[in-house]
Amino acid sequence: MSTAKRRHLYRKLATAVFWAALLLGALTSAIFFMTEFKRYSEKTVVMLDQLLDTVESTAAIAAYTSNREIGEDVLKGLLRNDFVHQARLTNDRGLELIETRTTQVPRQAEMVRTLYSPFGEAEVIGHLLIVPETQYNLQEARHSALLSALNSSVLIGLTALIVLSLVRSSLSRPLIKVSDALHAITAGEQERLDLLSRHRDDELGQLVDDINNLLDTLQEKFTVEHSLREEIQSVEQQLSSLFETTSAGIFLLDATGNLLKTNPTLGRVLGLPGMTSEKLVGQNFPALAFAEPERLRELMRYAGERRLAVGIDLELKSSGDAPSGWVHCLVSGQTDATGAARFEGVVYDVTERKKMEEEIKTLNEELECKVRERTQQLLEAQDELIRKEKLAVLGQVAGSVGHELRNPLAVMNNAVYFLQTVMPDADEIIKEYLNIIKGEIEGSTRIVSDLLDSVRTKPPRTERVEVRELLEKTLDKCIVPPTIAVKWDIPETLPALKADPQQIHQVFRNLISNGIEAMPEGGVLEIQAAADEAEKMINLEIRDSGVGMTPEQLGKLFQPLFTTKARGIGLGLVVVKNLTQANGGTVKVESEPGQGTVFTVSLPMDAAAAEVT
Amino acid sequence: MRKLLALLLLLTSSARAEVAVIANPKNILDAPTRQQVQDIFLGRTRTFPNGKFALPIDQTSPLRAEFYRLLTGRPIEQINAYWARIIFTGQASPPLRVPDDSAVLKIVRENEDAIGYVDKAHVDKTVHVLLLLK
């Protein structure tokens, strides 16, 4: 390649010289031709002038004597000269002689000589006219120009050859020598070009010096580059080993999420241990490993739009029975050299962290639940305390008042009984009033009993109690207005209770009469019973369709002396609660204003009976 | 001595200053001009102004130089050279030359077309003077 270049340079130089010589030769020839033509034309004019001088007197004689022969002689003599194209002789007596050469040439300016009489004083007797021969001038000029062109071409050619050989010997050869030496030198080595002895002080010497300086600089640069490269290699190795051995999975994705490059750890992190880097490349990353690929795609879109590194926790696809793992995925949007979108990122296993978080969450929930429970218990305990305190106060009053009222009431009851017995034939009004007195005494006795029951509950004497029987007995004792329908649904298979029948009867009776009183405009009273086998409890629901209660009313419902009824002293539900609790049960209430009220009484099942069934 | 001779020559020539151009009396001509006479003697024309053929008679005597000097203002050598050149072509010839005035007179008397020149002193009634050259 270098040789071809060298030859080309020579050829270019030679061609340039050739064309320059040709152009110069042509140019000088053209100039020479023009100047020669002009010179010859002028010379011809001078020669014609001389010729005319020579023949003038003879021509004058011919014109004077109108002698045709002499005239023709003169004209022929003129035509013998190459540079005369045409000669003409005329005189004032009608003589006109013409001699012409047969050449075809452009017309030239003719020369006219006036002929005077040889004897008269300036008497014009005729004219002698000559047309110069241009062909002659042209030929002469062309000849001269050709000679000059040849001459100059030879001279220029010779000069060019000399210059070429000089250039070759003093420039090209040393240059080739320098070039060859330069080819033999490896850049970055200690070798340098030899100084050319003949060219130590000229441009070539300068060039060799410059090249040597350049080689010095190159060597320095190479050394620096070499050390830099070593440094880069060591950093690359470190990075590569980091890339290979890190516990995090590293990946590069194209715009559609297909994997372009991964580190060996990625497969393991994704829970796909069989997938090597080679197998992973080309797969669609979001669809390959994640339970919700759309979340990763969304993350990529976000990272691409914001040019930010963004990260989220992602759940992996569960494979088989193994529980699915979690990874934290960091993605940042990039562009490659061609401007196409790329995503690079890191995933690392956060399954343990996730598990811990879940545990903490569960524990928190449990804790909250316990706190709520405990708060509820505290509130209940507080309520209970208040109730107990009230009951204690009530107890002190009720104890003495109740005791004091009971005996008079018993006396009054006996007295009425006596009157009814002794006056069987009394008129109807007396009988009616006696009944009224008897009813009111029973009511008062009940109030007193309730009062006493509410402050000092007797320990229950538990026995097996059939709910159905007890309920039937209770309903018999209750006076149900005709506007109220009572529906009750007690399964045949309902297990028996283990409770004090007297106390539970009072509980039922209080709840049923409360329900009836809550429906002054009439309604439906529903009673349902169901067994809770797991808790070994029987739940009894008493639902009315009455006026219902506000939450404030519900809160104070079981406190003594709280009542919503016009006639009542607020002890019925206190008794219900006391007695239920005494029998190992609970009582709950649900109500909304206008929606009616539901009381649920839970009482322990008769364990022996349950086992039997 | 030479100056004296020249002066003498001038005197003699001035003494013979008048030359008469003569023709036959029968040739009825208006007096021709000097130019017309010159044209006849130098071969430019071969006729008189009236169209008749003209026969010029020249002389070999010394009067010839005087005649041409008076007629053309040119020396006789130039006239001779002129004729020599024409004779050289062989296409024309100069006028007939006779020895003296008497011979001229004789030819003019005898020839109707002749025209010649003589010293004015030798002119007689037998010829007709066309022009006097001084």
Side-chain angles (χ1 to χ4, degrees), chain A residues 57 64-65 69-70 118-119, chain B residues 38 44 74 82 85 89 91:
Chain A
S57 56
Y64 187 77
T65 57
E69 287 75 20
I70 295 175
F119 308 107
Chain B
Q38 184 184 302
R44 197 181 183 188
R74 304 281 192 284
Y82 167 75
R85 213 176 281 181
T89 64
Q91 302 297 321

Side-chain angles (χ1 to χ4, degrees), chain A residues 42-156:
Chain A
E42 284 165 4
K43 200 172 152 191
T44 308
V45 170
V46 173
M47 280 157 72
L48 282 172
D49 220 29
Q50 287 174 353
L51 202 60
L52 283 172
D53 282 348
T54 311
V55 300
E56 186 181 3
S57 56
T58 314
I61 290 169
Y64 187 77
T65 57
S66 298
N67 192 316
R68 185 172 283 275
E69 287 75 20
I70 295 175
E72 281 173 354
D73 275 354
V74 168
L75 295 185
K76 277 177 185 157
L78 284 172
L79 263 289
R80 258 177 236 123
N81 293 285
D82 292 339
F83 48 89
V84 177
H85 175 65
Q86 190 186 65
R88 196 158 70 210
L89 180 65
T90 55
N91 79 346
D92 52 354
R93 298 183 177 207
L95 180 74
E96 180 150 12
L97 298 172
I98 297 177
E99 286 286 333
T100 310
R101 208 180 284 281
T102 54
T103 48
Q104 292 289 323
V105 288
R107 186 153 180 81
Q108 293 282 296
E110 56 198 20
M111 291 181 72
V112 181
R113 183 63 64 98
T114 309
L115 298 174
Y116 298 96
S117 161
F119 308 107
E121 288 304 320
E123 184 199 352
V124 176
I125 54 166
H127 291 94
L128 180 59
L129 194 142
I130 291 181
V131 178
E133 177 60 279
T134 323
Q135 198 67 38
Y136 170 77
N137 292 337
L138 275 172
Q139 269 175 4
E140 286 297 315
R142 219 176 272 156
H143 186 67
S144 294
L146 192 67
L147 270 179
S148 140
L150 268 172
N151 202 6
S152 57
S153 296
V154 168
L155 271 177
I156 291 169

